[in-house]
Every structure is written in structure tokens, then in C-alpha cells.
């Protein structure tokens, strides 16, 4: 997608070098699983690991939404943007669900941090603190990165610390309009 800068120059480039995604209610859209009497969020290991493939797709909002997320991730990857996941869900659940729906290829295992990650634990499970550490390790500045999350608490801390720019998901998972806004960055 073309971007027009303040000086009127047009490019299809992406100024971002890194995007940090949350998982539950950002990439995924946790669904209520009637037989389990619970929502399929990534910290419910037994429930989430026992979902059928069609239930995992439903937990992402269906195949069409997965395809739309794929478009955004492909665009970011084509611009050499490093993609991270920082979530309070469990890493192996997140990896499994990403792999089932075909999005696992976009997230290297060493760039996926769940609640069980020693790195996130050392950061006090504060996503913004881990983002600051990762940016420093990857020689990136706060203005090079974007944090995408549905949690006001995590977004506010990221803002307060000046960790990086933020994008708050307003509902249960990124909407087509929100994905369009990400594509325009």
C-alpha cells in the first residue's frame, strides 16, 4: 500500500523494523467452547491443545480472517519487518495454533514469548519491559517498532515507558479495518 509522507513523497515502503503482536484477542478471537464450558484462550493448555482443527480456525475468526491476517504478515515480512509475539498465553499453545492455521511460518520460535518464557518472566510479565530489552538487543530504536495488543494495561505501560509506538485492538481480535490501518503504516 502506498504511503504519502509529510513532504508529499509517495512510497510503498514500511518504516517499521519490528512489530510485537499479542496473541489472544489480537491475532486470535477466543471462542467459547461449549463442551468445555470455557473460552479457548492460550493459557488454557488442555482445552486449547485438544481443539479440532476447525475449532482452531474458528478461534481465529475463520479461514477468511486467517487469510486477511496472512496478507498483513506477508506485507510486513516483504519489508523485512521482524515479527514477534509477546503473550500471557502459553508458548506451545500459541505455536500449535499458529501452525494449524498456517501462520506459524511468520513467527520464529525464538521470537515468540509466552507466559512460560523465562525472558518474559524476568521482565515481570510486563510486555513493554521485554519490548525495550528486545529492541536494544536487535539494535532498534523505539520509533522503529509497533506494539499491537488489546490490553489497555499493556498499551498504557508501553506508552508510559516510551518503549515503542502502540496500536490498540478495540474488540475481540484485529478487525479488517484495523488490519487495513496496520497495512498503511
Amino acid at each position: 500500500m502506498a504511503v504519502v509522507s509529510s513532504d508529499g513523497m509517495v512510497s510503498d515502503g514500511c518504516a517499521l523494523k519490528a512489530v510485537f503482536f499479542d496473541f489472544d484477542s489480537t491475532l486470535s478471537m477466543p471462542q467459547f467452547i461449549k463442551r468445555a464450558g470455557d473460552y479457548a484462550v492460550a493459557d488454557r493448555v488442555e482445552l486449547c491443545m485438544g481443539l479440532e482443527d476447525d475449532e482452531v480456525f474458528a478461534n481465529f475468526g475463520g479461514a477468511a480472517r486467517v487469510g486477511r491476517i496472512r496478507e498483513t504478515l506477508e506485507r510486513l515480512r516483504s519489508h523485512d519487518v521482524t515479527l514477534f509475539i509477546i503473550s500471557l498465553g502459553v508458548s506451545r499453545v500459541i505455536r500449535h495454533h499458529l501452525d494449524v492455521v498456517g501462520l506459524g511460518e511468520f513467527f520464529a520460535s525464538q521470537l515468540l514469548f509466552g507466559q512460560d518464557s523465562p525472558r518474559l518472566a524476568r521482565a515481570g510479565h510486563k510486555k513493554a519491559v521485554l519490548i525495550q530489552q528486545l529492541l536494544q538487543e536487535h539494535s532498534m530504536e523505539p520509533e522503529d517498532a509497533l506494539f499491537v495488543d488489546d490490553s489497555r494495561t499493556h498499551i498504557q505501560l508501553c506508552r508510559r515507558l516510551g518503549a515503542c509506538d502502540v496500536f490498540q485492538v478495540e474488540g475481540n481480535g484485529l478487525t479488517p479495518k484495523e488490519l487495513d490501518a496496520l497495512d498503511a503504516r
Side-chain angles (χ1 to χ4, degrees):
M1 174 169 269
V3 177
V4 181
S5 67
S6 60
D7 62 1
M9 297 298 293
V10 178
S11 76
D12 66 359
C14 179
L16 293 172
K17 294 181 181 176
V19 176
F20 298 88
F21 287 98
D22 173 46
F23 185 72
D24 288 319
S25 297
T26 297
L27 290 173
S28 75
M29 299 176 71
Q31 302 296 300
F32 186 77
I33 307 300
K34 192 173 185 178
R35 65 180 158 72
D38 201 357
Y39 282 88
V41 291
D43 64 349
R44 314 289 201 289
V45 177
E46 189 175 322
L47 169 60
C48 287
M49 295 303 284
L51 293 177
E52 299 294 326
D53 287 359
D54 63 322
E55 292 174 310
V56 175
F57 270 92
N59 217 44
F60 275 86
R65 183 171 177 276
V66 169
R68 181 60 188 86
I69 292 169
R70 171 176 280 285
E71 290 173 13
T72 294
L73 298 176
E74 285 175 343
R75 186 191 68 76
L76 291 167
R77 183 170 62 183
S78 75
H79 288 93
D80 297 320
V81 176
T82 303
L83 302 174
F84 297 81
I85 290 180
I86 302 178
S87 172
L88 298 183
V90 175
S91 300
R92 70 183 174 107
V93 170
I94 296 167
R95 169 59 56 205
H96 175 69
H97 282 211
L98 289 169
D99 290 344
V100 166
V101 300
L103 298 177
E105 69 182 274
F106 295 100
F107 301 96
S109 291
Q110 69 271 21
L111 303 179
L112 192 159
F113 303 91
Q115 66 169 260
D116 53 329
S117 160
R119 294 287 307 271
L120 188 53
R122 283 193 303 272
H125 291 98
K126 294 179 177 156
K127 296 177 184 182
V129 172
L130 181 56
I131 288 169
Q132 288 179 312
Q133 294 168 0
L134 292 167
L135 288 175
Q136 185 174 19
E137 286 171 23
H138 290 267
S139 300
M140 293 182 201
E141 299 298 325
E143 58 270 13
D144 296 334
L146 179 67
F147 174 45
V148 182
D149 201 319
D150 66 304
S151 166
R152 288 191 196 326
T153 301
H154 290 291
I155 291 287
Q156 287 172 347
L157 181 60
C158 196
R159 279 188 181 128
R160 195 168 69 245
L161 295 179
C164 67
D165 197 8
V166 297
F167 185 100
Q168 185 165 352
V169 177
E170 293 301 325
N172 182 26
L174 285 160
T175 65
K177 184 177 179 180
E178 289 170 329
L179 287 164
D180 289 345
L182 284 177
D183 288 345
R185 294 189 65 98

